[in-house]
Amino acid sequence: MASIFSPSTVPVFFLLVLVLLGLGETRDPFACDPKDRATKNLPFCKVSLPIRVRVKDLIGRLTLQEKVTLLVNNAAAVPRLGIKGYEWWSEALHGVSNVGPGTKFGGPFPAATSFPQVITTAASFNASLWEEIGRVVSDEARAMYNGGMAGLTYWSPNVNIFRDPRWGRGQETPGEDPILAGTYAVNYIRGLQGTSGNRLKVAASCKHFTAYDLDNWNGIDRFHFNAQVSKQDIEDTFDVPFRMCVKEGKVASVMCSYNQVNGVPTCADPNLLKGRVRGQWRLNGYIVSDCDSVGVFYTNQHYTSTPEEAAADAIKAGLDLDCGPFLAVHTKNALEKGLVTEGDVNGALANTITVQMRLGMFDGEASAQPYGKLGPRDVCTAAHKELAVEAARQGIVLLKNRGPSLPLSPRRHQTVAVIGPNSNVTVTMIGNYAGIGCEYTSPLQGIGRYAKTIHEPGCTNVACSNDKQFGSALNAARQADATVLVMGLDQSIEAETVDRADLLLPGHQQELVSKVAAASRGPTILVLMSGGPVDVTFAKNDPKIAGILWAGYPGQAGGAAIADILFGAANPGGKLPMTWYPEEYLKSLAMTDMAMRPRRSKGYPGRTYRFYNGPVVYPFGYGLSYSHFLHTLASAPKTVSVPVHGHRHGNTTNISNKAIRVTHARCGKLSVSLHIDVKNVGSKDGSHTLLVFSAPPAGNGHWAPHKQLVAFEKVHVPAKSQQRVKINIHVCKLLSVVDRSGTRRIPMGVHNLHIGDVKHSLSVQAQTLGIIKS
């Protein structure tokens, strides 16, 4: 998404023009002040009128110059109409953030709740948790808006697929599976935007559309990258979460990305923006550029000959708002040259102003708004801070537990050596696109609540460039009843503009882990902080390393959650939202190759668990618990009939023994229901994630993934008890696959459903309703 303003990420021209224009004011206002005699009786200020009527009236009162200055994120004031400036760019990836200029901390708002980074929260596989986090974030955002410190338009969530394990921004995403990413987005958006029909609590934005998952690798950066993507991969991988955002999440905005897709910049592609997002999916909202994307496709990609052509191409493609000054500077000249019409500009403004109207920004004073009473007391509340701890607990994944050695016992493990460059970090825990947390609990502080600690960093930082501090770390491990190594990555290794070169622990970290484990008097537990996967095969296979936890970037309370898991106050239930590959996987695998499916003749392995079939360190969906859960399929249909109209072309129909087009099926709410009994046979209460995968019938090898996630459900099961879970699987949406031409089809035949160690065969059959001639 929006790049952070720095000389390394944004053209200097962008910064200079932003300053020179001086557009907007810092406080986000409510227009239509009832005390303003000049505007209070104008139609656009009348809440009783339909929003479309109010929007049309307002646009009709604007001059051309005023219109042009509203096309950018730092939208200008229109004093004669009582409209003050508005900054569109605010961020709320996992809490209200000050990355965008629309939000600031200070005064009565020194901080906001900083939840775990998205990759960690996704590992909970808990849709209700995602919605609840969104609700808390939007409460705090509204409170800060009311206090003049934030906007109401948040360019989150990031729903790009975590396609390549080296991607520095994979941490911002819900992982590698399209259905997981889309389901996360739908629920987080619902929490952010509220459920009051056409009215919005805050406006979310799904980014970055589309096929954006490379920042800077091997000399190729996102400003110049042309992603070559097949229709098949667009339809069944890259589009899925965005389509779910718009059609199911009713998101108020979509952001186009920096890169080109098949030779066309996404922000200048009418087929993507007007055709797909607004046309096919029916976006009710606005389309915004990633920051200075229009300038990038003119200056960096040389897509147009003149800046006026770039401005015109973007607007005519369906771009409504430019993050950056480009459209404010060049649109008027483009109009004068006849490259774009005032009607095109009006169309863009209609989309942005409609969203502002839905937010209540033209309804009068803040105190009169549904959320107008929210203020400082509603930010960083005790309940919000507890939710941050609970989200981290649910997202932490237990990868290894030899013995078992975990949980540790405060009685037996009274002294714990806490070692590693991430052992006493705070800001590292909140990842990127974060703000200022309410308060921080580092791993050292968290563990200190359960035991006496001996702390040695072992390395100065995660780069771990030498072994000078190893000696004191080894001594600490020899003295303690247990050793916890907190290792991994941070934003110096993986971040926006920083893709990883490999999957190994940086520098001498692996050496430190192995030496400490060999020296440790008690059990050694390895805790990993990272957004992307790490090849820790050495630790997985080392009998001296009793346990491994992955915490991702666990948020402001990460250290408390890690300690709660280590000492058994919480039972781990997280599952990996991405595959952990061995370092060997990267051999000859260019990040620039977008293909999801393997090409075995060329040694190309394929990507994500859906298509890659080689060795892994830990698979997608993997995660252990302190309890043991058994699955039993209580009931499930053995067959399902798909009503379909045959379309006759000559003497043939579209119905074959292999697959039918989804567009030819009567899908409606056609679904199959599974009832699954989940029994906790352990001695600890725990939450368990049911992951339901589907493997399509044989004979669809060139279309279909090996298997794909079709449903998941989080269920809490007390010790020695059982819960029944109902899962619905939409047949057309979830049991379909995509052929090489990009057509979604439902394979006829036996689909094998996998729920843990339970397998169920489901026969999908076509039910012909009649032949339609065409």
Side-chain angles (χ1 to χ4, degrees), residues 488-727:
L489 314 178
D490 65 13
Q491 302 303 308
S492 69
I493 305 295
E494 53 177 358
E496 184 168 10
T497 75
V498 182
D499 294 327
R500 292 159 68 191
D502 57 51
L503 302 181
L504 303 174
L505 285 171
H508 292 267
Q509 281 197 44
Q510 179 172 325
E511 182 187 353
L512 175 63
V513 172
S514 296
K515 286 185 174 179
V516 166
S520 183
R521 190 176 80 192
T524 299
I525 311 301
L526 173 61
V527 177
L528 295 165
M529 281 191 203
S530 71
V534 184
D535 183 354
V536 288
T537 304
F538 79 97
K540 178 183 177 183
N541 296 336
D542 188 342
K544 291 287 290 179
I545 297 174
I548 303 175
L549 287 178
W550 174 71
Y553 294 120
Q556 65 179 40
I562 289 167
D564 289 347
I565 298 286
L566 289 174
F567 284 90
N571 193 347
K575 304 285 186 184
L576 291 178
M578 73 297 203
T579 304
W580 283 36
Y581 303 92
E583 174 69 11
E584 182 70 12
Y585 171 74
L586 301 182
K587 184 179 180 181
S588 303
L589 182 67
M591 270 193 80
T592 50
D593 195 323
M594 301 294 293
M596 300 301 295
R597 290 157 174 80
R599 297 189 298 271
R600 292 182 179 86
S601 61
K602 296 186 177 181
Y604 185 75
R607 296 184 179 277
T608 78
Y609 80 93
R610 297 166 67 224
F611 302 106
Y612 170 68
N613 203 22
V616 300
V617 181
Y618 292 109
F620 173 89
Y622 183 81
L624 305 173
S625 170
Y626 297 152
S627 297
H628 184 59
F629 298 92
L630 298 178
H631 307 116
T632 306
L633 195 60
S635 67
K638 292 184 178 179
T639 62
V640 61
S641 296
V642 180
V644 58
H645 288 292
H647 289 252
R648 183 176 297 281
H649 302 273
N651 294 320
T652 63
T653 72
N654 71 299
I655 301 175
S656 69
N657 292 328
K658 287 194 173 183
I660 58 175
R661 287 175 179 252
V662 166
T663 53
H664 292 164
R666 293 274 295 274
C667 291
K669 295 182 179 179
L670 181 65
S671 65
V672 296
S673 294
L674 312 177
H675 291 85
I676 302 152
D677 288 332
V678 181
K679 187 173 184 180
N680 182 350
V681 297
S683 58
K684 279 183 169 289
D685 297 353
S687 291
H688 179 63
T689 298
L690 279 169
L691 300 177
V692 183
F693 295 94
S694 172
N700 294 284
H702 64 289
W703 295 354
H706 309 303
K707 63 176 184 178
Q708 57 189 8
L709 186 70
V710 293
F712 58 89
E713 193 69 39
K714 193 86 167 185
V715 57
H716 184 77
V717 190
K720 307 300 182 184
S721 70
Q722 180 172 295
Q723 298 280 356
R724 179 161 290 184
V725 180
K726 181 182 179 182
I727 289 179

Side-chain angles (χ1 to χ4, degrees), residues 275-288:
R276 199 171 305 164
V277 176
R278 196 169 296 284
Q280 293 176 27
W281 303 342
R282 312 296 295 176
L283 173 70
N284 180 19
Y286 70 98
I287 298 173
V288 61

